[in-house]
Amino acid sequence: QVQLVESGGGLVQPGGSLRLSCAASGSIFSINAMRWYRQAPGKQLELVATIGTGASPNYADSVKGRFTISRDNAKNTVYLQMNSLKPEDTAAYYCNADVTARGKWSTYWGQGTQVTVSS
């Protein structure tokens, strides 16, 4: 089986920074796209950032210039560096990844990590 485990969430003041990590483990042959989503209370799930294996990353307009997605293929890990955080960034953040494992391609999700931006 494949598991994605996020870490790095927490409470931060407006203007602060956090770095989220998401590590994939299991019988992984390859990972294609990796993404970060978020969901604030009472709101729909929002795609925050996507990183593929070769193309430039993509970002939601709401985080452009403040968030940076990156990946370490050797560690099967994706990161989300979040700077200049705002109260409206408060949400549960989830990673997902398109993984080939045991001859099958599937999209897997992590369990989520809470980010709270508040003074």
Side-chain angles (χ1 to χ4, degrees):
Q1 267 292 2
V2 174
Q3 287 189 319
L4 272 60
V5 178
E6 298 108 333
S7 61
L11 173 64
V12 62
Q13 291 188 340
S17 298
L18 280 176
R19 188 194 195 205
L20 306 183
S21 300
C22 172
S25 62
S27 303
I28 297 170
F29 176 75
S30 65
I31 301 177
N32 195 354
M34 305 184 83
R35 308 170 189 88
W36 286 98
Y37 286 81
R38 67 184 180 186
Q39 188 166 30
K43 294 192 175 181
Q44 289 187 329
L45 195 64
E46 177 187 20
L47 177 59
V48 174
T50 302
I51 186 167
T53 56
S56 299
N58 289 308
Y59 298 93
D61 288 343
S62 57
V63 306
K64 278 181 182 176
R66 300 188 298 121
F67 289 12
T68 302
I69 188 171
S70 61
R71 63 191 288 172
D72 184 333
N73 293 326
K75 296 181 179 179
N76 289 332
T77 298
V78 62
Y79 304 96
L80 187 68
Q81 178 67 44
M82 306 185 294
N83 298 328
S84 302
L85 282 161
K86 305 175 181 179
E88 52 264 44
D89 294 317
T90 295
Y93 283 72
Y94 300 90
C95 66
N96 95 356
D98 299 335
V99 178
T100 300
R102 298 184 184 273
K104 290 180 60 178
W105 178 94
S106 298
T107 297
Y108 294 87
W109 288 83
Q111 82 289 350
T113 186
Q114 179 67 35
V115 172
T116 302
V117 185
S118 175
S119 55

